[in-house]
């Protein structure tokens, strides 16, 4: 019996295979692959050999219809580039279609699935965000530089300038020492690393914990306190605009435009609810009025005390030191009542949220208000064990009218007035199978709490907290209506 495990056996097997393919050599038509192609596919891979079909692309897509269209657009572009290169098409997966597991977006619960399907016949898993722009040939050349038989974690490095709450003050002695990937540039795991991480996950189930900044948490899990690889920075993975002259050296870039899909939503079609309390009436409310409050057509302040000088509205819910579930659900009920104008959109913010309403109006042009839309910065709880996602409240929570209707009709309610409103809403949305939609333009923390290079390619919509900052100066620097929103209406045909 012949074996193809030895070098001599493999050569003999090739001879028999060539003889069996002789009829195909003389066959006519374009639908028959050449014997050379078939033999090459059967040949064991070498260190340097890497076909595009050895790369599995995972687009970090979301279930909302706008995001599905964006992901499909990227998938189509990748396939067209493959066709132009006359290569066999790679596997391209849309993350939101892979399973019904809510935790898939946190990546780690997804790895066993990827290892099972591609752990033996692929070399790389390449993760892309929906708006990542890819030059496929250059990316192929980049991946060829790395020995795919080894463990690799590739990306564009970010690091903290100072220890930050969103990273649980990790590496407080030297925050810049730890690097994590900017997902916007794309990032990659070699299959040997995926397979080892899968073994670890199967032996030690993922903890039921919070998911706050996914890119940092994935990097920490892979590094495993020096037991695993650190992120390897790849200069060709870029976040500069795609039309920047320097982008010619890049394998990936980002869109240079702010999200806009048509005419911005009119300001009188967004009802703004500001949560406050008596002790902040003279401190935080004036900041809202001096900054973004002037941009709102319909805005009400909700408090535990009715102050006609602001004015504030007392919803009959006592103030609580933590959570604000009772107040938030009173706002949801008021939004559907005849006490306020009928609008398609509801924005709920804290009194120390800083936000750009013109940028939000532009972003909402991409969403269908007849769908149940819940939009903001997405966090997760217990995603490794099922769990649920939620929109973190400080950065602003945006709801379509349909989403509010479905939430209240479901019987969803607070288990106490001081329950965490954003998490209770997340549990209810998860039960309803209504997707929580993430936008990286909303921020739960201050600009200082994010890597400079991460913010450099953004047009942020919101930040949160007044702690140790001048909130008016922060608004003027980061969120004031400026070049980011100039000419938006001129470019509607060229936008998303």
């Amino acid at each position: 019996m012949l074996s193809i495990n030895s070098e001599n056996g493999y050569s003999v097997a090739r001879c028999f295979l060539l003889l069996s393919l002789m009829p195909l050599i003389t066959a006519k038509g374009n639908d028959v692959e050449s014997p050379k192609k078939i033999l090459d596919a059967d040949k064991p891979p070498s260190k340097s050999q890497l076909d595009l079909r050895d790369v599995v692309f995972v687009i970090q897509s979301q279930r909302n219809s706008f995001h599905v269209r964006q992901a499909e657009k990227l998938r189509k572009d990748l396939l067209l580039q493959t066709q132009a290169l006359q290569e066999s098409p790679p596997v391209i997966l849309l993350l939101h279609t892979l399973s019904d597991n809510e935790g898939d977006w946190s990546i780690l619960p997804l790895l066993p699935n990827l290892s099972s399907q591609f752990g033996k016949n692929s070399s790389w898993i390449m993760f892309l965000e929906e708006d990542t722009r890819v030059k496929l040939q250059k990316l192929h050349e980049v991946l060829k530089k790395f020995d795919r038989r080894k463990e690799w974690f590739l990306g564009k490095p970010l690091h903290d300038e100072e220890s930050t709450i969103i990273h649980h003050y990790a590496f407080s002695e030297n925050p810049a020492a730890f690097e994590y990937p900017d997902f916007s540039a794309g990032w990659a795991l070699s299959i040997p690393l995926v397979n080892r991480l899968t073994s670890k996950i199967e032996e030690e189930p993922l903890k039921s914990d919070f998911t706050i900044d996914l890119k940092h948490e994935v990097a920490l899990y892979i590094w495993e306190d020096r037991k695993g690889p650190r992120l390897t920075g790849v200069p060709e993975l870029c976040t500069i605009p795609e039309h920047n002259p320097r982008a010619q050296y890049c394998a990936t870039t980002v869109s240079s435009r702010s999200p806009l899909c048509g005419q911005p939503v009119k300001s009188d079609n967004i009802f703004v609810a500001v949560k406050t309390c008596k002790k902040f009436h003279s401190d935080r409310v004036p900041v809202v009025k001096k900054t973004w409050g002037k941009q709102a057509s319909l805005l009400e302040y909700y408090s535990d005390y009715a102050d006609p000088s602001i004015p504030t509205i007392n919803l009959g819910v006592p103030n609580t030191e933590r959570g604000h579930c009772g107040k938030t659900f009173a706002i949801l009920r008021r939004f559907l009542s005849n006490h306020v104008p009928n609008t398609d959109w509801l924005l709920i913010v804290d009194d120390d949220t800083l936000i750009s309403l013109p940028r939000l109006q532009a972003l909402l042009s991409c969403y269908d208000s007849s769908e149940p839309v819940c939009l903001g910065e997405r966090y997760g709880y217990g995603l490794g064990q099922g769990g649920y996602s939620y929109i973190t409240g400080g950065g602003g929570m945006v709801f379509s009218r349909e989403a509010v209707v479905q939430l209240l009709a479901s019987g969803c309610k607070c288990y106490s007035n001081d329950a965490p409103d954003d998490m209770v809403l997340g549990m209810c949305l998860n039960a309803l199978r209504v997707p929580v939609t993430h936008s990286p333009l909303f921020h739960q923390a201050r600009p200082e709490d994010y890597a400079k290079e991460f913010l450099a390619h953004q047009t942020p919509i919101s930040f949160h907290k007044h702690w140790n900052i001048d909130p008016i100066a922060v608004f003027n620097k980061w969120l004031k209506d400026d070049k980011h929103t100039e000419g938006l209406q001129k470019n509607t045909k060229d936008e998303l």
Side-chain angles (χ1 to χ4, degrees):
M1 182 174 179
L2 289 173
S3 168
I4 64 170
N5 291 330
S6 67
E7 186 176 346
N8 291 335
Y10 187 78
S11 299
V12 173
R14 280 177 63 95
C15 293
F16 276 108
L17 184 57
L18 273 172
L19 289 172
S20 68
L21 292 171
M22 286 303 292
L24 295 180
I25 296 174
T26 57
K28 294 181 179 180
N30 296 325
D31 58 334
V32 180
E33 285 192 326
S34 72
K36 181 180 184 305
K37 276 189 177 180
I38 297 173
L39 287 172
D40 287 345
D42 189 56
K43 189 174 181 179
S46 66
K47 171 185 171 181
S48 59
Q49 181 186 4
L50 179 71
D51 295 328
L52 270 178
R53 61 187 173 184
D54 295 323
V55 183
V56 177
F57 290 91
V58 178
I59 300 174
Q60 294 173 251
S61 57
Q62 303 187 67
R63 287 194 285 142
N64 174 272
S65 61
F66 163 64
H67 293 276
V68 171
R69 291 193 300 272
Q70 289 299 97
E72 290 285 4
K73 187 176 174 182
L74 175 55
R75 181 177 181 274
K76 182 179 179 181
D77 179 67
L78 291 172
L79 291 174
L80 286 173
Q81 289 189 59
T82 304
Q83 187 177 354
L85 295 170
Q86 298 183 329
E87 293 268 4
S88 299
V91 174
I92 304 172
L93 306 174
L94 303 189
L95 188 148
H96 79 280
T97 67
L98 299 184
S99 78
D100 292 328
N101 179 16
E102 175 63 23
D104 281 356
W105 69 265
S106 62
I107 304 299
L108 296 177
L110 184 64
L111 293 184
N113 183 10
L114 295 175
S115 176
S116 172
Q117 291 190 63
F118 308 107
K120 294 180 180 178
N121 57 4
S122 299
S123 301
W124 294 93
I125 306 292
M126 183 76 199
F127 294 91
L128 303 170
E129 292 200 332
E130 297 161 7
D131 56 354
T132 306
R133 302 293 189 261
V134 181
K135 298 175 187 175
L136 205 52
Q137 185 173 9
K138 191 170 285 291
L139 178 61
H140 188 197
E141 293 168 359
V142 168
L143 293 178
K144 282 181 179 179
K145 298 176 183 178
F146 298 90
D147 185 348
R148 56 190 173 147
R149 299 172 300 180
K150 297 181 179 179
E151 292 188 1
W152 291 103
F153 175 28
L154 309 180
K156 179 193 172 178
L158 297 173
H159 67 267
D160 296 334
E161 299 290 331
E162 56 186 63
S163 59
T164 169
I165 188 171
I166 62 172
H167 297 155
H168 307 290
Y169 299 106
F171 305 97
S172 56
E173 293 183 1
N174 184 11
F178 185 75
E179 294 182 327
Y180 52 97
D182 190 332
F183 282 0
S184 299
W187 56 290
L189 302 177
S190 64
I191 286 295
L193 178 56
V194 171
N195 290 340
R196 184 179 64 78
L197 292 174
T198 294
S199 298
K200 178 186 173 186
I201 291 167
E202 291 173 346
E203 292 170 8
E204 304 172 32
L206 296 166
K207 295 178 181 177
S208 182
D209 205 350
F210 287 94
T211 300
I212 294 176
D213 186 5
L214 179 63
K215 53 191 179 292
H216 191 270
E217 288 152 21
V218 165
L220 273 177
Y221 187 86
I222 292 172
W223 180 58
E224 199 182 354
D225 198 19
R226 297 183 177 85
K227 296 176 185 176
R230 284 182 175 269
L231 178 71
T232 296
V234 178
E236 294 89 348
L237 299 180
C238 308
T239 53
I240 58 177
E242 54 190 325
H243 301 303
N244 187 302
R246 290 185 292 123
Q248 62 180 308
Y249 305 107
C250 296
T252 61
T253 55
V254 297
S255 172
S256 58
R257 298 174 176 139
S258 302
L260 184 68
C261 304
Q263 292 296 320
V265 169
K266 293 181 179 179
S267 63
D268 61 6
N269 202 16
I270 304 173
F271 186 82
V272 183
V274 181
K275 295 183 295 181
T276 188
C277 62
K278 185 178 180 181
K279 68 178 180 178
F280 293 132
H281 286 187
S282 60
D283 180 10
R284 297 180 179 178
V285 170
V287 173
V288 175
K289 292 196 169 193
K290 290 176 183 177
T291 56
W292 64 268
K294 295 182 286 188
Q295 301 169 343
S297 296
L298 301 170
L299 182 150
E300 287 186 343
Y301 297 91
Y302 298 109
S303 178
D304 56 342
Y305 175 76
D307 182 345
S309 69
I310 294 177
T312 59
I313 296 171
N314 184 354
L315 292 171
V317 180
N319 187 55
T320 54
E321 289 300 317
R322 58 186 180 86
H324 297 289
C325 198
K327 185 181 292 183
T328 295
F329 272 76
I331 291 170
L332 295 176
R333 290 190 293 270
R334 183 174 174 84
F335 176 68
L336 296 185
S337 74
N338 58 8
H339 295 296
V340 299
N342 189 307
T343 62
D344 288 338
W345 298 99
L346 168 66
L347 167 66
I348 301 179
V349 295
D350 293 346
D351 52 10
D352 57 349
T353 301
L354 300 169
I355 193 164
S356 168
L357 293 185
R359 295 180 194 174
L360 177 60
Q361 291 168 238
L363 178 65
L364 290 181
S365 70
C366 297
Y367 296 90
D368 184 349
S369 62
S370 68
E371 297 177 0
V373 178
C374 302
L375 175 68
E377 184 177 15
R378 177 181 57 190
Y379 280 11
Y381 181 74
L383 295 177
Q385 306 294 328
Y388 57 92
S389 306
Y390 62 96
I391 298 300
T392 181
M397 300 184 288
V398 182
F399 302 91
S400 65
R401 176 169 290 271
E402 179 61 22
V404 178
V405 167
Q406 291 193 24
L407 272 168
L408 295 183
S410 72
C412 175
K413 58 184 179 180
C414 305
Y415 53 83
S416 66
N417 280 338
D418 67 348
D421 52 354
D422 46 10
M423 296 182 73
V424 171
L425 287 168
M427 286 187 279
C428 294
L429 293 169
N430 186 59
L432 287 169
R433 304 298 299 159
V434 171
V436 166
T437 301
H438 174 67
S439 169
L441 305 181
F442 294 79
H443 303 88
Q444 172 68 11
R446 310 163 305 159
E448 289 89 332
D449 294 311
Y450 299 89
K452 288 182 179 179
E453 288 202 41
F454 175 68
L455 295 180
H457 58 82
Q458 282 196 355
T459 304
I461 284 177
S462 71
F463 292 103
H464 180 226
K465 296 288 188 189
H466 292 178
W467 181 69
N468 268 5
I469 63 168
D470 177 349
I472 295 176
V474 168
F475 175 82
N476 288 336
K477 177 180 178 179
W478 291 97
L479 300 166
K480 192 172 183 179
D481 198 12
D482 53 16
K483 63 180 181 180
H484 294 298
T485 49
E486 283 178 7
L488 284 176
Q489 296 189 24
K490 296 179 183 178
N491 298 322
T492 53
K493 292 183 180 179
D494 297 326
E495 291 293 344
L496 302 174

